[in-house]
Amino acid sequence: MLRIRVLAVATALAGVALTAAPAVSAPADDPSVVAALASPTARTAPAPSALLPALQRDLGLSPQAAADRLAGESRAARVRTALAAALGSRWAGAWVEGPDAALVVATTDASVARTITAHGGRATVVRNALAALDRAKAALDRAARAATPTATPFWSVDVRTNAVVVRSSDAARTEDFLRRSGVDRTLVRVERATATPRPLADLHGGDAYYIDSAARCSIGFPVTQNGRPGFVSAGHCGQPGSNATASDGSSIGTFQGSTFPGNDYSWVQAGPGWTAQPQVNDYAGGAVTVAGSTEQPVGSSVCRSGSTTGWHCGTVEEVNATVTYQEGSVYGVTRTSVCAEPGDSGGSFISGNQAQGVTSGGSGDCTSGGETYFQPVNPILSAYGLTLATG
């Protein structure tokens, strides 16, 4: 397995949110939202049966509650996408909460509350638009690229508290980092580190593969490029030109691209004889078929497949986050409550039948619990011109 680097981390939450009263002047049915929800791609797919036992185990759900939650999250994701486009500069993010995956939509304009509630969401009026928070987070990213902050290993936009969350193991050093970034300090809240993230270093998603016969990681998602098969995984697993082999020692192919730090993603082009199957190993004798890669809202359930600990589930906590390992910062990751361990790196994160990302790093383990970050899959596909294998 790859050597594990350790760095302390912290949690921070901040924000202001007020429940919005419906405004009678706003149209309830925005035509763009109605059209998006009526499109052929807006149908709710049946819950993949392989996900249900893990959701029951890790989230404490009954079989019916697990199926209902997946169905609710699928609809919430579609409504979120449609409302984000409709609200434009008034959009402040969305998340799901509760056993029925109720969608909460934040906006800076109370007059659009009726549009939100008409489509099953609960409107919340907040001070800051998501675009403003994203700009603040981008300022921190620019400062980190200039000089890696040694005491500030994680930051992200927290839509639930309408603030930029910054974790810190040294308050003075973090304040210096914030000053250097030029970020609007009113948008930021800092809390002290309580966890230790590190890269989980160690053709079905979640299967093991070996790098140069030395380290082990996990396949993220099978893909194709111009018809040739391969897979995406974590960047810290291997460098361009590194060899990837299967558990039986047979050659899979070579790394064609790899980025770490900055991002944490890579892709391996497989040789003749390999097929990119649209499936993720559920480590219970079956597999989940991947149907697409629609990003799920904060609060949604998400499951991870990896070659060390198998199949575990949790929830999406924050998106577009930055985490700093000893090797440097990684941008645009998603924080989850899912556990993972070394060797799970690169493995699949999936919500329902929608691919979400590849495992980057985290803290804790699957005995005592922990949290894990994944690099979203869509930017990886775009960066390398890849097509996700779906079925």
Side-chain angles (χ1 to χ4, degrees):
M1 293 188 296
L2 298 179
R3 180 177 176 82
I4 304 304
R5 305 290 185 179
V6 179
L7 190 65
V9 81
T11 307
L13 298 176
V16 176
L18 303 172
T19 300
V24 296
S25 61
D29 293 321
D30 186 294
S32 64
V33 179
V34 174
L37 297 180
S39 69
T41 59
R43 294 189 295 267
T44 300
S49 58
L51 269 68
L52 301 179
L55 285 171
Q56 295 166 43
R57 178 196 65 202
D58 294 340
L59 298 183
L61 300 175
S62 69
Q64 187 60 53
D68 290 345
R69 174 160 183 160
L70 285 175
E73 290 173 353
S74 178
R75 173 171 173 78
R78 298 193 307 274
V79 175
R80 170 187 174 272
T81 299
L83 286 173
L87 298 187
S89 63
R90 300 167 293 178
W91 173 255
W95 60 95
V96 297
E97 59 184 28
D100 56 351
L103 181 67
V104 183
V105 178
T107 178
T108 57
D109 184 355
S111 71
V112 300
R114 287 186 66 220
T115 296
I116 295 169
T117 56
H119 297 288
R122 176 166 64 83
T124 295
V125 177
V126 295
R127 179 182 300 120
N128 305 303
L130 183 59
L133 297 176
D134 284 343
R135 286 192 296 271
K137 195 261 181 182
L140 298 177
D141 290 349
R142 287 192 297 271
R145 288 186 176 97
T148 300
T150 58
T152 312
F154 181 87
W155 55 94
S156 70
V157 172
D158 184 358
V159 294
R160 285 178 286 197
T161 58
N162 195 231
V164 176
V165 175
V166 175
R167 297 180 175 187
S168 169
S169 59
D170 186 308
R173 291 182 181 180
T174 295
E175 288 299 331
D176 179 66
F177 170 58
L178 296 177
R179 283 192 296 271
R180 286 192 292 105
S181 73
V183 68
D184 181 349
R185 192 61 174 80
T186 65
L187 301 178
V188 176
R189 286 280 301 276
V190 178
E191 288 190 2
R192 186 163 180 79
T194 58
T196 306
R198 79 282 190 197
L200 298 173
D202 225 328
L203 276 161
H204 292 88
D207 283 355
Y209 71 95
Y210 294 81
I211 306 94
D212 293 331
S213 302
R216 173 171 56 84
C217 277
S218 302
I219 293 174
F221 293 95
V223 298
T224 59
Q225 186 189 69
N226 300 322
R228 296 188 61 179
F231 63 85
V232 295
S233 189
H236 70 264
C237 289
Q239 299 297 316
S242 294
N243 295 313
T245 57
S247 296
D248 62 2
S250 60
S251 174
I252 297 176
T254 58
F255 282 76
Q256 301 297 303
S258 178
T259 300
F260 179 77
N263 295 112
D264 192 5
Y265 54 65
S266 62
W267 89 279
V268 172
Q269 186 173 78
W274 292 92
T275 301
Q277 297 288 353
Q279 295 176 327
V280 174
N281 188 343
D282 71 357
Y283 284 88
V288 175
T289 299
V290 178
S293 56
T294 300
E295 180 185 344
Q296 298 297 297
V298 169
S300 297
S301 61
V302 66
C303 297
R304 178 196 53 72
S305 179
S307 60
T308 297
T309 61
W311 190 263
H312 287 273
C313 299
T315 55
V316 175
E317 298 299 312
E318 292 166 339
V319 299
N320 191 24
T322 299
V323 61
T324 297
Y325 306 121
Q326 184 170 333
E327 296 86 345
S329 297
V330 177
Y331 308 96
V333 299
T334 296
R335 184 174 73 89
T336 76
S337 64
V338 186
C339 70
E341 295 180 12
D344 289 327
S345 276
S348 326
F349 265 90
I350 187 166
S351 288
N353 59 10
Q354 298 296 307
Q356 298 299 298
V358 301
T359 303
S360 173
S363 60
D365 54 43
C366 288
T367 299
S368 59
E371 65 179 22
T372 306
Y373 314 111
F374 68 77
Q375 185 88 65
V377 69
N378 287 329
I380 308 175
L381 302 177
S382 177
Y384 295 127
L386 305 173
T387 299
L388 181 70
T390 59

